[in-house]
PDB file of all heavy atoms in Angstrom:
ATOM      1  N   LEU A   2       1.529  -8.708   2.262  1.00 96.00           N
ATOM      2  CA  LEU A   2       0.115  -9.017   2.472  1.00 96.00           C
ATOM      3  C   LEU A   2      -0.410  -8.105   3.577  1.00 96.00           C
ATOM      4  O   LEU A   2       0.138  -8.061   4.663  1.00 96.00           O
ATOM      5  CB  LEU A   2      -0.052 -10.487   2.852  1.00 96.00           C
ATOM      6  CG  LEU A   2      -1.480 -10.902   3.231  1.00 96.00           C
ATOM      7  CD1 LEU A   2      -2.379 -10.897   2.019  1.00 96.00           C
ATOM      8  CD2 LEU A   2      -1.483 -12.290   3.877  1.00 96.00           C
ATOM      9  N   LEU A   3      -1.561  -7.447   3.294  1.00 94.00           N
ATOM     10  CA  LEU A   3      -2.220  -6.550   4.261  1.00 94.00           C
ATOM     11  C   LEU A   3      -3.500  -7.212   4.729  1.00 94.00           C
ATOM     12  O   LEU A   3      -4.279  -7.746   3.926  1.00 94.00           O
ATOM     13  CB  LEU A   3      -2.523  -5.216   3.638  1.00 94.00           C
ATOM     14  CG  LEU A   3      -1.379  -4.500   2.888  1.00 94.00           C
ATOM     15  CD1 LEU A   3      -1.885  -3.224   2.242  1.00 94.00           C
ATOM     16  CD2 LEU A   3      -0.239  -4.219   3.851  1.00 94.00           C
ATOM     17  N   ASP A   4      -3.751  -7.157   6.011  1.00 91.00           N
ATOM     18  CA  ASP A   4      -5.026  -7.641   6.552  1.00 91.00           C
ATOM     19  C   ASP A   4      -6.030  -6.506   6.463  1.00 91.00           C
ATOM     20  O   ASP A   4      -6.050  -5.598   7.292  1.00 91.00           O
ATOM     21  CB  ASP A   4      -4.861  -8.121   7.995  1.00 91.00           C
ATOM     22  CG  ASP A   4      -6.136  -8.729   8.545  1.00 91.00           C
ATOM     23  OD1 ASP A   4      -7.073  -8.999   7.714  1.00 91.00           O
ATOM     24  OD2 ASP A   4      -6.245  -8.958   9.748  1.00 91.00           O
ATOM     25  N   GLY A   5      -6.815  -6.505   5.426  1.00 85.00           N
ATOM     26  CA  GLY A   5      -7.779  -5.430   5.206  1.00 85.00           C
ATOM     27  C   GLY A   5      -8.299  -5.465   3.762  1.00 85.00           C
ATOM     28  O   GLY A   5      -8.059  -6.425   3.030  1.00 85.00           O
ATOM     29  N   GLY A   6      -8.987  -4.416   3.385  1.00 86.00           N
ATOM     30  CA  GLY A   6      -9.576  -4.350   2.064  1.00 86.00           C
ATOM     31  C   GLY A   6      -8.953  -3.293   1.189  1.00 86.00           C
ATOM     32  O   GLY A   6      -7.778  -2.940   1.316  1.00 86.00           O
ATOM     33  N   ARG A   7      -9.794  -2.735   0.299  1.00 88.00           N
ATOM     34  CA  ARG A   7      -9.296  -1.768  -0.687  1.00 88.00           C
ATOM     35  C   ARG A   7      -8.775  -0.494  -0.004  1.00 88.00           C
ATOM     36  O   ARG A   7      -7.830   0.121  -0.477  1.00 88.00           O
ATOM     37  CB  ARG A   7     -10.401  -1.398  -1.668  1.00 88.00           C
ATOM     38  CG  ARG A   7     -10.781  -2.516  -2.639  1.00 88.00           C
ATOM     39  CD  ARG A   7     -11.627  -1.966  -3.761  1.00 88.00           C
ATOM     40  NE  ARG A   7     -12.035  -3.011  -4.674  1.00 88.00           N
ATOM     41  CZ  ARG A   7     -13.203  -3.669  -4.599  1.00 88.00           C
ATOM     42  NH1 ARG A   7     -14.048  -3.362  -3.607  1.00 88.00           N
ATOM     43  NH2 ARG A   7     -13.531  -4.592  -5.481  1.00 88.00           N
ATOM     44  N   ALA A   8      -9.412  -0.069   1.118  1.00 87.00           N
ATOM     45  CA  ALA A   8      -8.997   1.136   1.778  1.00 87.00           C
ATOM     46  C   ALA A   8      -7.563   1.014   2.324  1.00 87.00           C
ATOM     47  O   ALA A   8      -6.736   1.911   2.140  1.00 87.00           O
ATOM     48  CB  ALA A   8      -9.972   1.492   2.898  1.00 87.00           C
ATOM     49  N   GLN A   9      -7.272  -0.105   2.989  1.00 89.00           N
ATOM     50  CA  GLN A   9      -5.914  -0.319   3.486  1.00 89.00           C
ATOM     51  C   GLN A   9      -4.923  -0.403   2.316  1.00 89.00           C
ATOM     52  O   GLN A   9      -3.828   0.137   2.404  1.00 89.00           O
ATOM     53  CB  GLN A   9      -5.852  -1.616   4.305  1.00 89.00           C
ATOM     54  CG  GLN A   9      -6.423  -1.498   5.695  1.00 89.00           C
ATOM     55  CD  GLN A   9      -7.923  -1.784   5.734  1.00 89.00           C
ATOM     56  OE1 GLN A   9      -8.595  -1.787   4.693  1.00 89.00           O
ATOM     57  NE2 GLN A   9      -8.454  -2.018   6.920  1.00 89.00           N
ATOM     58  N   LEU A  10      -5.354  -1.059   1.265  1.00 91.00           N
ATOM     59  CA  LEU A  10      -4.500  -1.183   0.088  1.00 91.00           C
ATOM     60  C   LEU A  10      -4.155   0.177  -0.502  1.00 91.00           C
ATOM     61  O   LEU A  10      -2.996   0.457  -0.822  1.00 91.00           O
ATOM     62  CB  LEU A  10      -5.211  -2.052  -0.947  1.00 91.00           C
ATOM     63  CG  LEU A  10      -4.380  -2.728  -2.036  1.00 91.00           C
ATOM     64  CD1 LEU A  10      -3.379  -3.686  -1.421  1.00 91.00           C
ATOM     65  CD2 LEU A  10      -5.293  -3.469  -2.995  1.00 91.00           C
ATOM     66  N   GLY A  11      -5.156   1.063  -0.594  1.00 91.00           N
ATOM     67  CA  GLY A  11      -4.930   2.400  -1.123  1.00 91.00           C
ATOM     68  C   GLY A  11      -4.011   3.222  -0.230  1.00 91.00           C
ATOM     69  O   GLY A  11      -3.120   3.919  -0.714  1.00 91.00           O
ATOM     70  N   ALA A  12      -4.223   3.126   1.090  1.00 90.00           N
ATOM     71  CA  ALA A  12      -3.393   3.896   2.028  1.00 90.00           C
ATOM     72  C   ALA A  12      -1.930   3.487   1.956  1.00 90.00           C
ATOM     73  O   ALA A  12      -1.018   4.310   1.943  1.00 90.00           O
ATOM     74  CB  ALA A  12      -3.903   3.740   3.453  1.00 90.00           C
ATOM     75  N   VAL A  13      -1.681   2.186   1.891  1.00 92.00           N
ATOM     76  CA  VAL A  13      -0.308   1.691   1.814  1.00 92.00           C
ATOM     77  C   VAL A  13       0.316   1.992   0.466  1.00 92.00           C
ATOM     78  O   VAL A  13       1.497   2.361   0.371  1.00 92.00           O
ATOM     79  CB  VAL A  13      -0.287   0.158   2.104  1.00 92.00           C
ATOM     80  CG1 VAL A  13       1.098  -0.413   1.830  1.00 92.00           C
ATOM     81  CG2 VAL A  13      -0.672  -0.110   3.558  1.00 92.00           C
ATOM     82  N   SER A  14      -0.462   1.913  -0.596  1.00 93.00           N
ATOM     83  CA  SER A  14       0.054   2.230  -1.912  1.00 93.00           C
ATOM     84  C   SER A  14       0.539   3.667  -1.977  1.00 93.00           C
ATOM     85  O   SER A  14       1.597   3.968  -2.567  1.00 93.00           O
ATOM     86  CB  SER A  14      -1.014   1.996  -2.976  1.00 93.00           C
ATOM     87  OG  SER A  14      -1.364   0.621  -3.073  1.00 93.00           O
ATOM     88  N   ARG A  15      -0.212   4.564  -1.345  1.00 92.00           N
ATOM     89  CA  ARG A  15       0.169   5.972  -1.362  1.00 92.00           C
ATOM     90  C   ARG A  15       1.484   6.205  -0.588  1.00 92.00           C
ATOM     91  O   ARG A  15       2.350   6.988  -1.028  1.00 92.00           O
ATOM     92  CB  ARG A  15      -0.956   6.837  -0.773  1.00 92.00           C
ATOM     93  CG  ARG A  15      -2.163   6.968  -1.712  1.00 92.00           C
ATOM     94  CD  ARG A  15      -3.137   7.989  -1.195  1.00 92.00           C
ATOM     95  NE  ARG A  15      -3.802   7.573   0.021  1.00 92.00           N
ATOM     96  CZ  ARG A  15      -4.901   6.832   0.050  1.00 92.00           C
ATOM     97  NH1 ARG A  15      -5.470   6.436  -1.091  1.00 92.00           N
ATOM     98  NH2 ARG A  15      -5.473   6.522   1.203  1.00 92.00           N
ATOM     99  N   VAL A  16       1.644   5.513   0.548  1.00 92.00           N
ATOM    100  CA  VAL A  16       2.868   5.650   1.330  1.00 92.00           C
ATOM    101  C   VAL A  16       4.072   5.160   0.512  1.00 92.00           C
ATOM    102  O   VAL A  16       5.133   5.813   0.459  1.00 92.00           O
ATOM    103  CB  VAL A  16       2.754   4.888   2.662  1.00 92.00           C
ATOM    104  CG1 VAL A  16       4.119   4.798   3.333  1.00 92.00           C
ATOM    105  CG2 VAL A  16       1.765   5.544   3.584  1.00 92.00           C
ATOM    106  N   LEU A  17       3.945   4.009  -0.121  1.00 93.00           N
ATOM    107  CA  LEU A  17       5.049   3.459  -0.889  1.00 93.00           C
ATOM    108  C   LEU A  17       5.391   4.362  -2.057  1.00 93.00           C
ATOM    109  O   LEU A  17       6.563   4.529  -2.383  1.00 93.00           O
ATOM    110  CB  LEU A  17       4.704   2.054  -1.379  1.00 93.00           C
ATOM    111  CG  LEU A  17       4.557   0.988  -0.305  1.00 93.00           C
ATOM    112  CD1 LEU A  17       4.126  -0.353  -0.927  1.00 93.00           C
ATOM    113  CD2 LEU A  17       5.871   0.793   0.469  1.00 93.00           C
ATOM    114  N   ALA A  18       4.379   4.963  -2.653  1.00 92.00           N
ATOM    115  CA  ALA A  18       4.633   5.898  -3.771  1.00 92.00           C
ATOM    116  C   ALA A  18       5.383   7.131  -3.266  1.00 92.00           C
ATOM    117  O   ALA A  18       6.311   7.609  -3.922  1.00 92.00           O
ATOM    118  CB  ALA A  18       3.313   6.314  -4.399  1.00 92.00           C
ATOM    119  N   GLU A  19       5.037   7.636  -2.085  1.00 92.00           N
ATOM    120  CA  GLU A  19       5.726   8.768  -1.503  1.00 92.00           C
ATOM    121  C   GLU A  19       7.187   8.440  -1.218  1.00 92.00           C
ATOM    122  O   GLU A  19       8.081   9.286  -1.405  1.00 92.00           O
ATOM    123  CB  GLU A  19       5.053   9.192  -0.199  1.00 92.00           C
ATOM    124  CG  GLU A  19       3.689   9.806  -0.373  1.00 92.00           C
ATOM    125  CD  GLU A  19       3.002  10.048   0.975  1.00 92.00           C
ATOM    126  OE1 GLU A  19       3.704   9.947   2.005  1.00 92.00           O
ATOM    127  OE2 GLU A  19       1.786  10.302   0.977  1.00 92.00           O
ATOM    128  N   LEU A  20       7.424   7.179  -0.779  1.00 89.00           N
ATOM    129  CA  LEU A  20       8.802   6.762  -0.472  1.00 89.00           C
ATOM    130  C   LEU A  20       9.579   6.375  -1.727  1.00 89.00           C
ATOM    131  O   LEU A  20      10.782   6.135  -1.651  1.00 89.00           O
ATOM    132  CB  LEU A  20       8.777   5.578   0.491  1.00 89.00           C
ATOM    133  CG  LEU A  20       8.194   5.844   1.881  1.00 89.00           C
ATOM    134  CD1 LEU A  20       8.087   4.560   2.698  1.00 89.00           C
ATOM    135  CD2 LEU A  20       9.077   6.850   2.654  1.00 89.00           C
ATOM    136  N   GLY A  21       8.899   6.300  -2.863  1.00 91.00           N
ATOM    137  CA  GLY A  21       9.564   5.904  -4.102  1.00 91.00           C
ATOM    138  C   GLY A  21       9.951   4.439  -4.103  1.00 91.00           C
ATOM    139  O   GLY A  21      10.986   4.047  -4.694  1.00 91.00           O
ATOM    140  N   ILE A  22       9.129   3.600  -3.453  1.00 90.00           N
ATOM    141  CA  ILE A  22       9.429   2.172  -3.316  1.00 90.00           C
ATOM    142  C   ILE A  22       8.364   1.343  -4.058  1.00 90.00           C
ATOM    143  O   ILE A  22       7.179   1.651  -3.995  1.00 90.00           O
ATOM    144  CB  ILE A  22       9.456   1.768  -1.824  1.00 90.00           C
ATOM    145  CG1 ILE A  22      10.651   2.410  -1.135  1.00 90.00           C
ATOM    146  CG2 ILE A  22       9.508   0.252  -1.670  1.00 90.00           C
ATOM    147  CD1 ILE A  22      10.676   2.182   0.361  1.00 90.00           C
ATOM    148  N   SER A  23       8.790   0.329  -4.733  1.00 92.00           N
ATOM    149  CA  SER A  23       7.896  -0.575  -5.430  1.00 92.00           C
ATOM    150  C   SER A  23       7.930  -1.932  -4.751  1.00 92.00           C
ATOM    151  O   SER A  23       8.956  -2.621  -4.731  1.00 92.00           O
ATOM    152  CB  SER A  23       8.320  -0.721  -6.902  1.00 92.00           C
ATOM    153  OG  SER A  23       7.500  -1.663  -7.565  1.00 92.00           O
ATOM    154  N   VAL A  24       6.825  -2.297  -4.123  1.00 94.00           N
ATOM    155  CA  VAL A  24       6.666  -3.587  -3.467  1.00 94.00           C
ATOM    156  C   VAL A  24       5.299  -4.159  -3.879  1.00 94.00           C
ATOM    157  O   VAL A  24       4.277  -3.487  -3.696  1.00 94.00           O
ATOM    158  CB  VAL A  24       6.713  -3.479  -1.920  1.00 94.00           C
ATOM    159  CG1 VAL A  24       6.434  -4.828  -1.270  1.00 94.00           C
ATOM    160  CG2 VAL A  24       8.064  -2.961  -1.478  1.00 94.00           C
ATOM    161  N   PRO A  25       5.235  -5.351  -4.438  1.00 95.00           N
ATOM    162  CA  PRO A  25       3.943  -5.950  -4.771  1.00 95.00           C
ATOM    163  C   PRO A  25       3.063  -6.097  -3.534  1.00 95.00           C
ATOM    164  O   PRO A  25       3.529  -6.550  -2.497  1.00 95.00           O
ATOM    165  CB  PRO A  25       4.324  -7.313  -5.350  1.00 95.00           C
ATOM    166  CG  PRO A  25       5.737  -7.173  -5.842  1.00 95.00           C
ATOM    167  CD  PRO A  25       6.363  -6.216  -4.871  1.00 95.00           C
ATOM    168  N   LEU A  26       1.787  -5.690  -3.685  1.00 96.00           N
ATOM    169  CA  LEU A  26       0.852  -5.717  -2.577  1.00 96.00           C
ATOM    170  C   LEU A  26      -0.343  -6.608  -2.869  1.00 96.00           C
ATOM    171  O   LEU A  26      -0.772  -6.721  -4.017  1.00 96.00           O
ATOM    172  CB  LEU A  26       0.327  -4.304  -2.267  1.00 96.00           C
ATOM    173  CG  LEU A  26       1.321  -3.233  -1.874  1.00 96.00           C
ATOM    174  CD1 LEU A  26       0.607  -1.878  -1.759  1.00 96.00           C
ATOM    175  CD2 LEU A  26       2.006  -3.575  -0.563  1.00 96.00           C
TER     176      LEU A  26
END
């Protein structure tokens, strides 16, 4: 769970994609 909106969600999604990790957000 992220405290924020779509922008935080997009930033974290990109990091996880770079790391090759799948975590529900």
Side-chain angles (χ1 to χ4, degrees):
L2 174 69
L3 311 175
D4 185 12
R7 290 193 182 95
Q9 283 89 344
L10 201 61
V13 171
S14 295
R15 288 190 291 273
V16 169
L17 293 177
E19 291 173 13
L20 296 173
I22 292 174
S23 176
V24 175
L26 299 175

